Short mmCIF file of all heavy atoms in Angstrom, two decimals:
data_model
loop_
_atom_site.label_atom_id
_atom_site.label_comp_id
_atom_site.label_asym_id
_atom_site.label_seq_id
_atom_site.Cartn_x
_atom_site.Cartn_y
_atom_site.Cartn_z
N GLY M 8 25.47 -9.80 4.45
CA GLY M 8 26.16 -9.26 5.56
C GLY M 8 26.60 -7.86 5.43
O GLY M 8 26.55 -7.30 4.26
N GLN M 9 27.06 -7.29 6.52
CA GLN M 9 27.37 -5.86 6.54
C GLN M 9 28.51 -5.48 5.65
O GLN M 9 28.56 -4.38 5.11
CB GLN M 9 27.79 -5.48 7.96
CG GLN M 9 28.03 -4.01 8.17
CD GLN M 9 28.35 -3.76 9.61
OE1 GLN M 9 28.49 -4.62 10.49
NE2 GLN M 9 28.35 -2.40 9.95
N TYR M 10 29.52 -6.32 5.37
CA TYR M 10 30.66 -6.01 4.60
C TYR M 10 30.69 -6.63 3.22
O TYR M 10 31.75 -6.94 2.70
CB TYR M 10 31.92 -6.28 5.40
CG TYR M 10 32.02 -5.74 6.72
CD1 TYR M 10 32.13 -6.48 7.88
CD2 TYR M 10 31.76 -4.38 6.87
CE1 TYR M 10 32.13 -5.88 9.15
CE2 TYR M 10 31.70 -3.75 8.12
CZ TYR M 10 31.94 -4.47 9.21
OH TYR M 10 31.93 -3.89 10.45
N PHE M 11 29.51 -6.81 2.61
CA PHE M 11 29.39 -7.29 1.25
C PHE M 11 30.19 -6.35 0.38
O PHE M 11 29.98 -5.17 0.41
CB PHE M 11 27.96 -7.35 0.88
CG PHE M 11 27.70 -7.62 -0.60
CD1 PHE M 11 27.89 -8.91 -1.08
CD2 PHE M 11 27.22 -6.62 -1.42
CE1 PHE M 11 27.65 -9.14 -2.45
CE2 PHE M 11 26.97 -6.90 -2.75
CZ PHE M 11 27.20 -8.14 -3.24
N VAL M 12 31.00 -6.93 -0.55
CA VAL M 12 31.89 -6.09 -1.38
C VAL M 12 31.78 -6.46 -2.87
O VAL M 12 31.97 -7.68 -3.24
CB VAL M 12 33.39 -6.22 -0.98
CG1 VAL M 12 34.16 -5.30 -1.85
CG2 VAL M 12 33.52 -5.83 0.49
N LEU M 13 31.43 -5.54 -3.68
CA LEU M 13 31.59 -5.63 -5.12
C LEU M 13 32.16 -4.26 -5.61
O LEU M 13 31.62 -3.54 -6.39
CB LEU M 13 30.23 -5.84 -5.82
CG LEU M 13 29.66 -7.30 -5.80
CD1 LEU M 13 28.34 -7.31 -6.57
CD2 LEU M 13 30.65 -8.23 -6.58
N SER M 14 33.19 -3.85 -4.86
CA SER M 14 33.62 -2.45 -4.89
C SER M 14 33.82 -1.83 -6.30
O SER M 14 33.25 -0.87 -6.57
CB SER M 14 34.97 -2.27 -4.12
OG SER M 14 34.69 -2.65 -2.78
N PRO M 15 34.68 -2.44 -7.20
CA PRO M 15 34.90 -1.76 -8.49
C PRO M 15 33.64 -1.55 -9.29
O PRO M 15 33.36 -0.48 -9.79
CB PRO M 15 35.96 -2.60 -9.17
CG PRO M 15 36.61 -3.35 -8.04
CD PRO M 15 35.46 -3.59 -7.03
N CYS M 16 32.80 -2.64 -9.39
CA CYS M 16 31.59 -2.57 -10.19
C CYS M 16 30.66 -1.65 -9.50
O CYS M 16 30.05 -0.73 -10.15
CB CYS M 16 31.06 -3.97 -10.19
SG CYS M 16 29.37 -4.06 -10.95
N LYS M 17 30.40 -1.87 -8.20
CA LYS M 17 29.37 -1.02 -7.46
C LYS M 17 29.81 0.48 -7.48
O LYS M 17 28.94 1.31 -7.70
CB LYS M 17 29.28 -1.49 -6.05
CG LYS M 17 28.16 -0.77 -5.25
CD LYS M 17 28.03 -1.34 -3.90
CE LYS M 17 26.96 -0.73 -3.12
NZ LYS M 17 26.76 -1.27 -1.78
N TYR M 18 31.08 0.75 -7.34
CA TYR M 18 31.53 2.18 -7.32
C TYR M 18 31.32 2.79 -8.64
O TYR M 18 30.80 3.88 -8.79
CB TYR M 18 33.02 2.23 -6.96
CG TYR M 18 33.61 3.61 -7.05
CD1 TYR M 18 33.33 4.47 -6.02
CD2 TYR M 18 34.36 4.03 -8.12
CE1 TYR M 18 33.87 5.76 -6.07
CE2 TYR M 18 34.83 5.34 -8.10
CZ TYR M 18 34.59 6.27 -7.11
OH TYR M 18 35.09 7.47 -7.18
N ARG M 19 31.59 2.04 -9.83
CA ARG M 19 31.43 2.59 -11.12
C ARG M 19 29.95 2.86 -11.37
O ARG M 19 29.58 3.93 -11.93
CB ARG M 19 31.94 1.64 -12.17
CG ARG M 19 31.80 2.05 -13.59
CD ARG M 19 32.54 3.39 -13.87
NE ARG M 19 32.32 3.82 -15.25
CZ ARG M 19 32.44 5.08 -15.63
NH1 ARG M 19 32.64 5.99 -14.76
NH2 ARG M 19 32.29 5.38 -16.87
N LEU M 20 29.09 1.83 -11.05
CA LEU M 20 27.61 2.08 -11.22
C LEU M 20 27.11 3.29 -10.35
O LEU M 20 26.27 4.08 -10.84
CB LEU M 20 26.89 0.78 -10.87
CG LEU M 20 27.09 -0.37 -11.78
CD1 LEU M 20 26.50 -1.64 -11.19
CD2 LEU M 20 26.49 -0.07 -13.16
N HIS M 21 27.69 3.40 -9.17
CA HIS M 21 27.26 4.48 -8.25
C HIS M 21 27.62 5.82 -8.95
O HIS M 21 26.82 6.73 -8.92
CB HIS M 21 27.93 4.24 -6.94
CG HIS M 21 27.62 5.34 -5.95
ND1 HIS M 21 26.30 5.54 -5.44
CD2 HIS M 21 28.37 6.32 -5.43
CE1 HIS M 21 26.34 6.61 -4.66
NE2 HIS M 21 27.56 7.09 -4.62
N CYS M 22 28.77 5.90 -9.53
CA CYS M 22 29.22 7.21 -10.15
C CYS M 22 28.30 7.47 -11.35
O CYS M 22 27.88 8.59 -11.56
CB CYS M 22 30.68 7.10 -10.59
SG CYS M 22 31.78 7.06 -9.19
N LEU M 23 27.99 6.48 -12.12
CA LEU M 23 27.14 6.69 -13.32
C LEU M 23 25.75 7.12 -12.98
O LEU M 23 25.09 7.75 -13.73
CB LEU M 23 27.07 5.42 -14.16
CG LEU M 23 28.44 5.01 -14.90
CD1 LEU M 23 28.29 3.67 -15.53
CD2 LEU M 23 28.69 6.05 -16.04
N SER M 24 25.25 6.60 -11.82
CA SER M 24 23.91 6.91 -11.44
C SER M 24 23.69 8.32 -10.99
O SER M 24 22.59 8.83 -10.90
CB SER M 24 23.41 5.98 -10.25
OG SER M 24 24.14 6.25 -9.07
N PHE M 25 24.82 9.04 -10.64
CA PHE M 25 24.64 10.42 -10.27
C PHE M 25 24.24 11.28 -11.50
O PHE M 25 24.83 11.11 -12.62
CB PHE M 25 25.99 10.98 -9.77
CG PHE M 25 26.18 10.60 -8.28
CD1 PHE M 25 27.50 10.27 -7.87
CD2 PHE M 25 25.23 10.52 -7.37
CE1 PHE M 25 27.74 9.90 -6.59
CE2 PHE M 25 25.45 10.19 -6.11
CZ PHE M 25 26.75 9.87 -5.66
N CYS M 26 23.39 12.17 -11.37
CA CYS M 26 22.96 13.11 -12.52
C CYS M 26 23.62 14.43 -12.34
O CYS M 26 23.42 15.09 -11.28
CB CYS M 26 21.46 13.18 -12.56
SG CYS M 26 20.89 14.39 -13.78
N THR M 27 24.48 14.76 -13.27
CA THR M 27 25.05 16.07 -13.22
C THR M 27 24.61 16.90 -14.36
O THR M 27 24.32 16.45 -15.52
CB THR M 27 26.58 15.97 -13.31
OG1 THR M 27 26.94 15.28 -14.56
CG2 THR M 27 27.17 15.18 -12.14
N LYS M 28 24.39 18.20 -14.00
CA LYS M 28 23.76 19.09 -15.05
C LYS M 28 24.87 20.03 -15.62
O LYS M 28 25.39 20.86 -14.85
CB LYS M 28 22.68 19.90 -14.46
CG LYS M 28 21.60 19.06 -13.88
CD LYS M 28 20.54 20.01 -13.08
CE LYS M 28 19.51 19.19 -12.36
NZ LYS M 28 18.70 19.98 -11.54
N PRO M 29 25.24 19.85 -16.92
CA PRO M 29 26.33 20.72 -17.45
C PRO M 29 25.84 22.11 -17.45
O PRO M 29 24.67 22.47 -17.73
CB PRO M 29 26.54 20.15 -18.82
CG PRO M 29 25.32 19.41 -19.16
CD PRO M 29 24.76 18.86 -17.88
N THR M 30 26.80 23.02 -17.29
CA THR M 30 26.43 24.49 -17.28
C THR M 30 26.97 25.21 -18.51
O THR M 30 26.82 26.42 -18.59
CB THR M 30 27.03 25.14 -15.96
OG1 THR M 30 28.44 25.01 -16.02
CG2 THR M 30 26.46 24.59 -14.76
N GLY M 31 27.65 24.49 -19.39
CA GLY M 31 28.10 25.14 -20.64
C GLY M 31 29.57 25.52 -20.47
O GLY M 31 30.13 26.05 -21.37
N THR M 32 30.18 25.34 -19.25
CA THR M 32 31.56 25.70 -19.06
C THR M 32 32.27 24.53 -18.47
O THR M 32 31.69 23.62 -18.01
CB THR M 32 31.71 26.92 -18.12
OG1 THR M 32 31.48 26.53 -16.81
CG2 THR M 32 30.79 28.10 -18.56
N HIS M 33 33.61 24.56 -18.46
CA HIS M 33 34.46 23.50 -17.92
C HIS M 33 34.74 23.78 -16.47
O HIS M 33 35.45 23.05 -15.85
CB HIS M 33 35.74 23.33 -18.75
CG HIS M 33 35.52 22.84 -20.12
ND1 HIS M 33 34.99 21.60 -20.36
CD2 HIS M 33 35.61 23.52 -21.31
CE1 HIS M 33 34.88 21.47 -21.73
NE2 HIS M 33 35.21 22.59 -22.29
N THR M 34 34.33 24.98 -15.90
CA THR M 34 34.69 25.38 -14.53
C THR M 34 33.52 25.36 -13.58
O THR M 34 33.69 25.70 -12.46
CB THR M 34 35.34 26.75 -14.58
OG1 THR M 34 34.42 27.68 -15.14
CG2 THR M 34 36.63 26.73 -15.34
N ALA M 35 32.35 24.98 -14.05
CA ALA M 35 31.21 24.96 -13.09
C ALA M 35 30.26 23.77 -13.50
O ALA M 35 30.12 23.43 -14.64
CB ALA M 35 30.38 26.29 -13.27
N MET M 36 29.72 23.19 -12.48
CA MET M 36 28.83 22.10 -12.67
C MET M 36 27.81 22.04 -11.56
O MET M 36 28.16 22.25 -10.39
CB MET M 36 29.63 20.71 -12.79
CG MET M 36 28.73 19.57 -13.07
SD MET M 36 29.69 18.04 -13.40
CE MET M 36 30.27 18.35 -14.95
N ASP M 37 26.53 21.77 -11.87
CA ASP M 37 25.49 21.68 -10.94
C ASP M 37 25.56 20.22 -10.37
O ASP M 37 25.31 19.28 -11.07
CB ASP M 37 24.15 21.91 -11.54
CG ASP M 37 23.04 21.93 -10.58
OD1 ASP M 37 23.23 21.57 -9.34
OD2 ASP M 37 21.85 22.13 -11.00
N LEU M 38 25.82 20.14 -9.07
CA LEU M 38 25.90 18.78 -8.44
C LEU M 38 24.72 18.55 -7.48
O LEU M 38 24.79 17.69 -6.60
CB LEU M 38 27.22 18.64 -7.61
CG LEU M 38 28.57 18.93 -8.42
CD1 LEU M 38 29.70 18.83 -7.43
CD2 LEU M 38 28.61 18.03 -9.59
N SER M 39 23.69 19.30 -7.67
CA SER M 39 22.58 19.27 -6.70
C SER M 39 21.85 17.93 -6.70
O SER M 39 21.21 17.50 -5.70
CB SER M 39 21.53 20.40 -7.06
OG SER M 39 20.99 20.20 -8.38
N ASP M 40 21.93 17.12 -7.73
CA ASP M 40 21.31 15.75 -7.80
C ASP M 40 22.29 14.69 -7.37
O ASP M 40 21.91 13.48 -7.36
CB ASP M 40 20.86 15.49 -9.23
CG ASP M 40 19.71 16.35 -9.63
OD1 ASP M 40 18.87 16.69 -8.71
OD2 ASP M 40 19.53 16.60 -10.86
N MET M 41 23.45 15.00 -6.93
CA MET M 41 24.35 13.94 -6.41
C MET M 41 24.01 13.58 -4.98
O MET M 41 24.17 14.31 -4.06
CB MET M 41 25.82 14.48 -6.43
CG MET M 41 26.35 14.51 -7.87
SD MET M 41 28.17 14.91 -7.87
CE MET M 41 28.85 13.35 -7.28
N ARG M 42 23.50 12.39 -4.84
CA ARG M 42 23.09 11.99 -3.45
C ARG M 42 23.03 10.40 -3.52
O ARG M 42 22.94 9.82 -4.52
CB ARG M 42 21.71 12.51 -3.03
CG ARG M 42 20.61 12.15 -3.92
CD ARG M 42 19.29 12.68 -3.32
NE ARG M 42 19.34 14.11 -3.05
CZ ARG M 42 19.16 15.01 -4.08
NH1 ARG M 42 18.79 14.67 -5.30
NH2 ARG M 42 19.20 16.31 -3.74
N LYS M 43 23.17 9.80 -2.33
CA LYS M 43 23.13 8.34 -2.25
C LYS M 43 22.33 8.03 -1.03
O LYS M 43 22.06 8.73 -0.14
CB LYS M 43 24.51 7.73 -2.16
CG LYS M 43 25.30 8.17 -0.95
CD LYS M 43 26.54 7.24 -0.76
CE LYS M 43 26.14 5.88 -0.34
NZ LYS M 43 27.33 5.08 -0.03
N LYS M 44 21.95 6.76 -1.06
CA LYS M 44 21.13 6.20 0.12
C LYS M 44 22.10 5.86 1.25
O LYS M 44 23.17 5.30 1.02
CB LYS M 44 20.32 5.02 -0.30
CG LYS M 44 19.16 5.28 -1.16
CD LYS M 44 18.31 4.03 -1.46
CE LYS M 44 17.10 4.39 -2.28
NZ LYS M 44 16.28 3.19 -2.52
N TYR M 45 21.65 6.19 2.46
CA TYR M 45 22.39 5.75 3.67
C TYR M 45 21.66 4.56 4.29
O TYR M 45 20.98 3.76 3.55
CB TYR M 45 22.60 6.88 4.63
CG TYR M 45 23.42 8.02 4.18
CD1 TYR M 45 23.29 9.29 4.62
CD2 TYR M 45 24.48 7.81 3.16
CE1 TYR M 45 24.09 10.39 4.20
CE2 TYR M 45 25.26 8.86 2.74
CZ TYR M 45 25.05 10.06 3.27
OH TYR M 45 25.84 11.12 2.82
N LYS M 46 21.62 4.52 5.58
CA LYS M 46 20.91 3.44 6.32
C LYS M 46 19.40 3.74 6.35
O LYS M 46 18.98 4.89 6.38
CB LYS M 46 21.52 3.25 7.64
CG LYS M 46 22.92 2.81 7.64
CD LYS M 46 23.46 2.56 9.01
CE LYS M 46 24.87 2.07 8.99
NZ LYS M 46 25.10 0.82 8.43
N ALA M 47 18.58 2.68 6.43
CA ALA M 47 17.15 2.82 6.66
C ALA M 47 16.85 3.02 8.09
O ALA M 47 17.70 2.86 8.97
CB ALA M 47 16.43 1.63 6.11
N ASP M 48 15.55 3.45 8.33
CA ASP M 48 15.24 3.83 9.74
C ASP M 48 15.41 2.62 10.68
O ASP M 48 15.76 2.75 11.86
CB ASP M 48 13.84 4.34 9.80
CG ASP M 48 13.48 4.92 11.15
OD1 ASP M 48 14.08 5.94 11.55
OD2 ASP M 48 12.57 4.36 11.85
N ASP M 49 15.13 1.44 10.14
CA ASP M 49 15.32 0.23 11.01
C ASP M 49 16.74 -0.07 11.30
O ASP M 49 17.01 -0.98 12.10
CB ASP M 49 14.60 -1.02 10.43
CG ASP M 49 15.17 -1.34 9.03
OD1 ASP M 49 16.07 -0.66 8.56
OD2 ASP M 49 14.67 -2.42 8.50
N GLN M 50 17.72 0.64 10.71
CA GLN M 50 19.14 0.45 11.00
C GLN M 50 19.70 1.70 11.70
O GLN M 50 20.89 1.98 11.72
CB GLN M 50 19.88 0.22 9.67
CG GLN M 50 19.52 -1.02 8.95
CD GLN M 50 20.27 -1.10 7.60
OE1 GLN M 50 19.96 -0.23 6.73
NE2 GLN M 50 21.06 -2.04 7.47
N CYS M 51 18.81 2.50 12.42
CA CYS M 51 19.33 3.68 13.06
C CYS M 51 20.14 3.36 14.25
O CYS M 51 20.20 2.23 14.73
CB CYS M 51 18.04 4.51 13.47
SG CYS M 51 16.97 3.76 14.62
N PHE M 52 20.79 4.46 14.77
CA PHE M 52 21.71 4.28 15.92
C PHE M 52 21.01 4.86 17.15
O PHE M 52 20.92 6.10 17.25
CB PHE M 52 22.99 4.96 15.58
CG PHE M 52 23.98 4.97 16.65
CD1 PHE M 52 24.36 3.80 17.25
CD2 PHE M 52 24.66 6.15 17.09
CE1 PHE M 52 25.32 3.75 18.31
CE2 PHE M 52 25.65 6.09 18.11
CZ PHE M 52 25.96 4.91 18.68
#
């Protein structure tokens, strides 16, 4: 169903799955690979 919830587990795994590229400093980070899946075309509006 639409409101299936495994929030704490799913959220943690989702965060871990993002790839971040360290830049060698603590004030900059490349977030270009941070993305997630949205709805599929058969679920369009």
Side-chain angles (χ1 to χ4, degrees):
Q9 185 177 9
Y10 303 125
F11 171 72
V12 181
L13 280 178
S14 299
C16 173
K17 186 174 177 182
Y18 177 77
R19 178 61 181 155
L20 290 171
H21 178 66
C22 291
L23 288 171
S24 69
F25 283 141
C26 178
T27 56
K28 302 172 185 176
T30 61
T32 73
H33 295 291
T34 57
M36 183 172 286
D37 181 359
L38 305 179
S39 58
D40 288 331
M41 289 186 71
R42 59 178 55 85
K43 62 168 289 186
K44 289 185 177 181
Y45 293 154
K46 295 181 183 293
D48 190 65
D49 60 356
Q50 298 174 295
C51 62
F52 179 49

